[in-house]
Amino acid sequence: MGDNSPEIPEGIADMTLRELCEAASDTDIRLAPASVAAACAAMGAALLSRAACISDPDAASGCDSVCFRARQLCAELQELASRLDAADELVRSAGAHPGETALSVAADASLALLEASYFGQSLALQAAEGVKREGAMDLAGASMMLDAAAGSSLICASFYLADMTDAAAVRRSEELIWAITHDRVGAKKKVLDASDRLIRRQ
């Protein structure tokens, strides 16, 4: 790596958006789209957690509160970020012909991140009911980041599945994708509409 290359932090999920953009455009680093998806999910969950917990700090310890569940999701997405990043590296290190096991692991990691990201949107919709005006920007940002993570995860999964030869495994994954995304498309718009109403509230 040349002297002008950006310095990569210990973990992808700890990178700032600026560091992600610099790394993604650096030809020596070749940051995979999977890593960007993972980081978007982790950042989205962090924003959601902040929006929910600032609005209702007393509910942080309640296991049924949006604040508590958002914190749990934030920790889960950090773990999923590392999992997808490692799985994608395993596929790419195999060159032009990654093994079926590596592809399956990477596809599973992508689908896990897809599902968690959509769950984050569901939490964001619930959080919108209690978030105050000062948390609206965090809520909107969380929804957009989680939506980007879900879309990128879906693209990553499609990339891995396209190279798999096990037709039955591919079909099961496609059915799971449908189950995860069914009736959830449009959640981002609902969160953004709610955030917009909060922002415009005087």
PDB file of all heavy atoms in Angstrom, residues 136-163:
ATOM      1  N   ALA A 136     -35.313  13.623  15.372  1.00  0.00           N
ATOM      2  CA  ALA A 136     -35.865  13.302  14.056  1.00  0.00           C
ATOM      3  C   ALA A 136     -34.781  13.099  12.999  1.00  0.00           C
ATOM      4  O   ALA A 136     -34.883  12.215  12.145  1.00  0.00           O
ATOM      5  CB  ALA A 136     -36.826  14.399  13.602  1.00  0.00           C
ATOM      6  N   MET A 137     -33.722  13.928  13.035  1.00  0.00           N
ATOM      7  CA  MET A 137     -32.651  13.796  12.048  1.00  0.00           C
ATOM      8  C   MET A 137     -31.918  12.471  12.223  1.00  0.00           C
ATOM      9  O   MET A 137     -31.566  11.812  11.240  1.00  0.00           O
ATOM     10  CB  MET A 137     -31.689  14.969  12.152  1.00  0.00           C
ATOM     11  CG  MET A 137     -32.263  16.291  11.665  1.00  0.00           C
ATOM     12  SD  MET A 137     -32.714  16.261   9.910  1.00  0.00           S
ATOM     13  CE  MET A 137     -31.096  16.149   9.152  1.00  0.00           C
ATOM     14  N   ASP A 138     -31.670  12.081  13.478  1.00  0.00           N
ATOM     15  CA  ASP A 138     -31.037  10.779  13.732  1.00  0.00           C
ATOM     16  C   ASP A 138     -31.913   9.647  13.212  1.00  0.00           C
ATOM     17  O   ASP A 138     -31.418   8.677  12.617  1.00  0.00           O
ATOM     18  CB  ASP A 138     -30.801  10.584  15.230  1.00  0.00           C
ATOM     19  CG  ASP A 138     -29.539  11.286  15.711  1.00  0.00           C
ATOM     20  OD1 ASP A 138     -28.718  11.675  14.871  1.00  0.00           O
ATOM     21  OD2 ASP A 138     -29.382  11.437  16.939  1.00  0.00           O
ATOM     22  N   LEU A 139     -33.222   9.775  13.429  1.00  0.00           N
ATOM     23  CA  LEU A 139     -34.151   8.737  13.000  1.00  0.00           C
ATOM     24  C   LEU A 139     -34.166   8.624  11.469  1.00  0.00           C
ATOM     25  O   LEU A 139     -34.121   7.518  10.922  1.00  0.00           O
ATOM     26  CB  LEU A 139     -35.554   9.045  13.518  1.00  0.00           C
ATOM     27  CG  LEU A 139     -36.613   7.960  13.287  1.00  0.00           C
ATOM     28  CD1 LEU A 139     -36.254   6.698  14.068  1.00  0.00           C
ATOM     29  CD2 LEU A 139     -37.988   8.456  13.701  1.00  0.00           C
ATOM     30  N   ALA A 140     -34.209   9.753  10.782  1.00  0.00           N
ATOM     31  CA  ALA A 140     -34.201   9.742   9.323  1.00  0.00           C
ATOM     32  C   ALA A 140     -32.887   9.180   8.792  1.00  0.00           C
ATOM     33  O   ALA A 140     -32.867   8.377   7.853  1.00  0.00           O
ATOM     34  CB  ALA A 140     -34.423  11.159   8.787  1.00  0.00           C
ATOM     35  N   GLY A 141     -31.782   9.595   9.397  1.00  0.00           N
ATOM     36  CA  GLY A 141     -30.480   9.081   8.978  1.00  0.00           C
ATOM     37  C   GLY A 141     -30.373   7.587   9.194  1.00  0.00           C
ATOM     38  O   GLY A 141     -29.845   6.860   8.347  1.00  0.00           O
ATOM     39  N   ALA A 142     -30.886   7.101  10.318  1.00  0.00           N
ATOM     40  CA  ALA A 142     -30.868   5.668  10.609  1.00  0.00           C
ATOM     41  C   ALA A 142     -31.637   4.895   9.551  1.00  0.00           C
ATOM     42  O   ALA A 142     -31.177   3.858   9.056  1.00  0.00           O
ATOM     43  CB  ALA A 142     -31.469   5.412  11.987  1.00  0.00           C
ATOM     44  N   SER A 143     -32.805   5.400   9.189  1.00  0.00           N
ATOM     45  CA  SER A 143     -33.633   4.711   8.204  1.00  0.00           C
ATOM     46  C   SER A 143     -32.931   4.637   6.854  1.00  0.00           C
ATOM     47  O   SER A 143     -32.953   3.592   6.186  1.00  0.00           O
ATOM     48  CB  SER A 143     -34.980   5.429   8.060  1.00  0.00           C
ATOM     49  OG  SER A 143     -35.807   4.753   7.139  1.00  0.00           O
ATOM     50  N   MET A 144     -32.314   5.726   6.433  1.00  0.00           N
ATOM     51  CA  MET A 144     -31.619   5.732   5.142  1.00  0.00           C
ATOM     52  C   MET A 144     -30.404   4.814   5.143  1.00  0.00           C
ATOM     53  O   MET A 144     -30.139   4.099   4.168  1.00  0.00           O
ATOM     54  CB  MET A 144     -31.226   7.160   4.769  1.00  0.00           C
ATOM     55  CG  MET A 144     -32.417   8.020   4.363  1.00  0.00           C
ATOM     56  SD  MET A 144     -31.967   9.649   3.718  1.00  0.00           S
ATOM     57  CE  MET A 144     -31.532  10.493   5.234  1.00  0.00           C
ATOM     58  N   MET A 145     -29.653   4.798   6.260  1.00  0.00           N
ATOM     59  CA  MET A 145     -28.491   3.928   6.349  1.00  0.00           C
ATOM     60  C   MET A 145     -28.904   2.456   6.353  1.00  0.00           C
ATOM     61  O   MET A 145     -28.278   1.611   5.699  1.00  0.00           O
ATOM     62  CB  MET A 145     -27.696   4.248   7.609  1.00  0.00           C
ATOM     63  CG  MET A 145     -27.059   5.623   7.614  1.00  0.00           C
ATOM     64  SD  MET A 145     -25.782   5.816   6.356  1.00  0.00           S
ATOM     65  CE  MET A 145     -24.418   4.996   7.161  1.00  0.00           C
ATOM     66  N   LEU A 146     -29.962   2.139   7.084  1.00  0.00           N
ATOM     67  CA  LEU A 146     -30.441   0.760   7.130  1.00  0.00           C
ATOM     68  C   LEU A 146     -30.989   0.322   5.781  1.00  0.00           C
ATOM     69  O   LEU A 146     -30.833  -0.836   5.381  1.00  0.00           O
ATOM     70  CB  LEU A 146     -31.512   0.611   8.218  1.00  0.00           C
ATOM     71  CG  LEU A 146     -30.997   0.707   9.654  1.00  0.00           C
ATOM     72  CD1 LEU A 146     -32.159   0.879  10.627  1.00  0.00           C
ATOM     73  CD2 LEU A 146     -30.181  -0.524  10.018  1.00  0.00           C
ATOM     74  N   ASP A 147     -31.621   1.249   5.066  1.00  0.00           N
ATOM     75  CA  ASP A 147     -32.128   0.936   3.731  1.00  0.00           C
ATOM     76  C   ASP A 147     -30.970   0.666   2.773  1.00  0.00           C
ATOM     77  O   ASP A 147     -31.029  -0.263   1.960  1.00  0.00           O
ATOM     78  CB  ASP A 147     -32.988   2.095   3.223  1.00  0.00           C
ATOM     79  CG  ASP A 147     -33.666   1.777   1.902  1.00  0.00           C
ATOM     80  OD1 ASP A 147     -34.532   0.872   1.883  1.00  0.00           O
ATOM     81  OD2 ASP A 147     -33.333   2.410   0.883  1.00  0.00           O
ATOM     82  N   ALA A 148     -29.910   1.471   2.880  1.00  0.00           N
ATOM     83  CA  ALA A 148     -28.723   1.255   2.046  1.00  0.00           C
ATOM     84  C   ALA A 148     -28.077  -0.087   2.368  1.00  0.00           C
ATOM     85  O   ALA A 148     -27.630  -0.808   1.474  1.00  0.00           O
ATOM     86  CB  ALA A 148     -27.725   2.387   2.263  1.00  0.00           C
ATOM     87  N   ALA A 149     -28.048  -0.427   3.648  1.00  0.00           N
ATOM     88  CA  ALA A 149     -27.471  -1.707   4.056  1.00  0.00           C
ATOM     89  C   ALA A 149     -28.280  -2.871   3.511  1.00  0.00           C
ATOM     90  O   ALA A 149     -27.718  -3.866   3.032  1.00  0.00           O
ATOM     91  CB  ALA A 149     -27.402  -1.785   5.575  1.00  0.00           C
ATOM     92  N   ALA A 150     -29.605  -2.756   3.569  1.00  0.00           N
ATOM     93  CA  ALA A 150     -30.463  -3.829   3.069  1.00  0.00           C
ATOM     94  C   ALA A 150     -30.276  -4.012   1.565  1.00  0.00           C
ATOM     95  O   ALA A 150     -30.143  -5.141   1.077  1.00  0.00           O
ATOM     96  CB  ALA A 150     -31.929  -3.523   3.390  1.00  0.00           C
ATOM     97  N   GLY A 151     -30.259  -2.912   0.829  1.00  0.00           N
ATOM     98  CA  GLY A 151     -30.080  -2.994  -0.619  1.00  0.00           C
ATOM     99  C   GLY A 151     -28.731  -3.575  -1.000  1.00  0.00           C
ATOM    100  O   GLY A 151     -28.626  -4.436  -1.886  1.00  0.00           O
ATOM    101  N   SER A 152     -27.683  -3.132  -0.324  1.00  0.00           N
ATOM    102  CA  SER A 152     -26.343  -3.633  -0.608  1.00  0.00           C
ATOM    103  C   SER A 152     -26.218  -5.106  -0.225  1.00  0.00           C
ATOM    104  O   SER A 152     -25.565  -5.885  -0.928  1.00  0.00           O
ATOM    105  CB  SER A 152     -25.300  -2.805   0.147  1.00  0.00           C
ATOM    106  OG  SER A 152     -25.342  -1.457  -0.264  1.00  0.00           O
ATOM    107  N   SER A 153     -26.841  -5.489   0.877  1.00  0.00           N
ATOM    108  CA  SER A 153     -26.810  -6.889   1.299  1.00  0.00           C
ATOM    109  C   SER A 153     -27.493  -7.782   0.270  1.00  0.00           C
ATOM    110  O   SER A 153     -27.025  -8.894  -0.018  1.00  0.00           O
ATOM    111  CB  SER A 153     -27.497  -7.055   2.652  1.00  0.00           C
ATOM    112  OG  SER A 153     -26.852  -6.304   3.644  1.00  0.00           O
ATOM    113  N   LEU A 154     -28.592  -7.285  -0.283  1.00  0.00           N
ATOM    114  CA  LEU A 154     -29.316  -8.048  -1.296  1.00  0.00           C
ATOM    115  C   LEU A 154     -28.468  -8.220  -2.553  1.00  0.00           C
ATOM    116  O   LEU A 154     -28.420  -9.305  -3.152  1.00  0.00           O
ATOM    117  CB  LEU A 154     -30.625  -7.340  -1.633  1.00  0.00           C
ATOM    118  CG  LEU A 154     -31.582  -8.046  -2.596  1.00  0.00           C
ATOM    119  CD1 LEU A 154     -31.932  -9.433  -2.086  1.00  0.00           C
ATOM    120  CD2 LEU A 154     -32.839  -7.213  -2.795  1.00  0.00           C
ATOM    121  N   ILE A 155     -27.777  -7.162  -2.945  1.00  0.00           N
ATOM    122  CA  ILE A 155     -26.885  -7.242  -4.113  1.00  0.00           C
ATOM    123  C   ILE A 155     -25.755  -8.223  -3.855  1.00  0.00           C
ATOM    124  O   ILE A 155     -25.396  -9.035  -4.717  1.00  0.00           O
ATOM    125  CB  ILE A 155     -26.329  -5.847  -4.458  1.00  0.00           C
ATOM    126  CG1 ILE A 155     -27.452  -4.956  -4.989  1.00  0.00           C
ATOM    127  CG2 ILE A 155     -25.203  -5.950  -5.488  1.00  0.00           C
ATOM    128  CD1 ILE A 155     -27.056  -3.507  -5.174  1.00  0.00           C
ATOM    129  N   CYS A 156     -25.183  -8.162  -2.661  1.00  0.00           N
ATOM    130  CA  CYS A 156     -24.107  -9.084  -2.304  1.00  0.00           C
ATOM    131  C   CYS A 156     -24.595 -10.528  -2.340  1.00  0.00           C
ATOM    132  O   CYS A 156     -23.911 -11.405  -2.881  1.00  0.00           O
ATOM    133  CB  CYS A 156     -23.574  -8.756  -0.907  1.00  0.00           C
ATOM    134  SG  CYS A 156     -22.642  -7.223  -0.813  1.00  0.00           S
ATOM    135  N   ALA A 157     -25.772 -10.770  -1.759  1.00  0.00           N
ATOM    136  CA  ALA A 157     -26.312 -12.127  -1.761  1.00  0.00           C
ATOM    137  C   ALA A 157     -26.518 -12.624  -3.186  1.00  0.00           C
ATOM    138  O   ALA A 157     -26.194 -13.786  -3.504  1.00  0.00           O
ATOM    139  CB  ALA A 157     -27.638 -12.155  -0.995  1.00  0.00           C
ATOM    140  N   SER A 158     -27.033 -11.770  -4.052  1.00  0.00           N
ATOM    141  CA  SER A 158     -27.252 -12.150  -5.454  1.00  0.00           C
ATOM    142  C   SER A 158     -25.936 -12.493  -6.138  1.00  0.00           C
ATOM    143  O   SER A 158     -25.861 -13.431  -6.941  1.00  0.00           O
ATOM    144  CB  SER A 158     -27.944 -11.003  -6.200  1.00  0.00           C
ATOM    145  OG  SER A 158     -29.200 -10.720  -5.632  1.00  0.00           O
ATOM    146  N   PHE A 159     -24.883 -11.746  -5.797  1.00  0.00           N
ATOM    147  CA  PHE A 159     -23.551 -11.981  -6.362  1.00  0.00           C
ATOM    148  C   PHE A 159     -23.049 -13.376  -5.974  1.00  0.00           C
ATOM    149  O   PHE A 159     -22.559 -14.138  -6.816  1.00  0.00           O
ATOM    150  CB  PHE A 159     -22.593 -10.903  -5.859  1.00  0.00           C
ATOM    151  CG  PHE A 159     -21.168 -11.107  -6.258  1.00  0.00           C
ATOM    152  CD1 PHE A 159     -20.729 -10.759  -7.526  1.00  0.00           C
ATOM    153  CD2 PHE A 159     -20.259 -11.647  -5.359  1.00  0.00           C
ATOM    154  CE1 PHE A 159     -19.406 -10.949  -7.897  1.00  0.00           C
ATOM    155  CE2 PHE A 159     -18.935 -11.843  -5.722  1.00  0.00           C
ATOM    156  CZ  PHE A 159     -18.509 -11.489  -6.997  1.00  0.00           C
ATOM    157  N   TYR A 160     -23.192 -13.725  -4.708  1.00  0.00           N
ATOM    158  CA  TYR A 160     -22.721 -15.038  -4.249  1.00  0.00           C
ATOM    159  C   TYR A 160     -23.581 -16.170  -4.818  1.00  0.00           C
ATOM    160  O   TYR A 160     -23.071 -17.203  -5.251  1.00  0.00           O
ATOM    161  CB  TYR A 160     -22.729 -15.113  -2.720  1.00  0.00           C
ATOM    162  CG  TYR A 160     -21.933 -14.025  -2.048  1.00  0.00           C
ATOM    163  CD1 TYR A 160     -22.480 -13.279  -1.003  1.00  0.00           C
ATOM    164  CD2 TYR A 160     -20.629 -13.721  -2.444  1.00  0.00           C
ATOM    165  CE1 TYR A 160     -21.756 -12.280  -0.376  1.00  0.00           C
ATOM    166  CE2 TYR A 160     -19.902 -12.717  -1.827  1.00  0.00           C
ATOM    167  CZ  TYR A 160     -20.472 -11.998  -0.795  1.00  0.00           C
ATOM    168  OH  TYR A 160     -19.758 -10.998  -0.191  1.00  0.00           O
ATOM    169  N   LEU A 161     -24.904 -15.973  -4.802  1.00  0.00           N
ATOM    170  CA  LEU A 161     -25.814 -17.016  -5.273  1.00  0.00           C
ATOM    171  C   LEU A 161     -25.629 -17.308  -6.758  1.00  0.00           C
ATOM    172  O   LEU A 161     -25.823 -18.441  -7.202  1.00  0.00           O
ATOM    173  CB  LEU A 161     -27.266 -16.616  -5.000  1.00  0.00           C
ATOM    174  CG  LEU A 161     -27.679 -16.546  -3.521  1.00  0.00           C
ATOM    175  CD1 LEU A 161     -29.083 -15.980  -3.389  1.00  0.00           C
ATOM    176  CD2 LEU A 161     -27.598 -17.919  -2.867  1.00  0.00           C
ATOM    177  N   ALA A 162     -25.234 -16.297  -7.522  1.00  0.00           N
ATOM    178  CA  ALA A 162     -25.053 -16.478  -8.966  1.00  0.00           C
ATOM    179  C   ALA A 162     -23.938 -17.460  -9.281  1.00  0.00           C
ATOM    180  O   ALA A 162     -23.939 -18.098 -10.343  1.00  0.00           O
ATOM    181  CB  ALA A 162     -24.760 -15.129  -9.624  1.00  0.00           C
ATOM    182  N   ASP A 163     -22.976 -17.585  -8.375  1.00  0.00           N
ATOM    183  CA  ASP A 163     -21.845 -18.491  -8.594  1.00  0.00           C
ATOM    184  C   ASP A 163     -22.021 -19.853  -7.939  1.00  0.00           C
ATOM    185  O   ASP A 163     -21.175 -20.741  -8.101  1.00  0.00           O
ATOM    186  CB  ASP A 163     -20.548 -17.851  -8.070  1.00  0.00           C
ATOM    187  CG  ASP A 163     -20.053 -16.723  -8.963  1.00  0.00           C
ATOM    188  OD1 ASP A 163     -20.491 -16.666 -10.130  1.00  0.00           O
ATOM    189  OD2 ASP A 163     -19.250 -15.903  -8.488  1.00  0.00           O
TER     190      ASP A 163
END
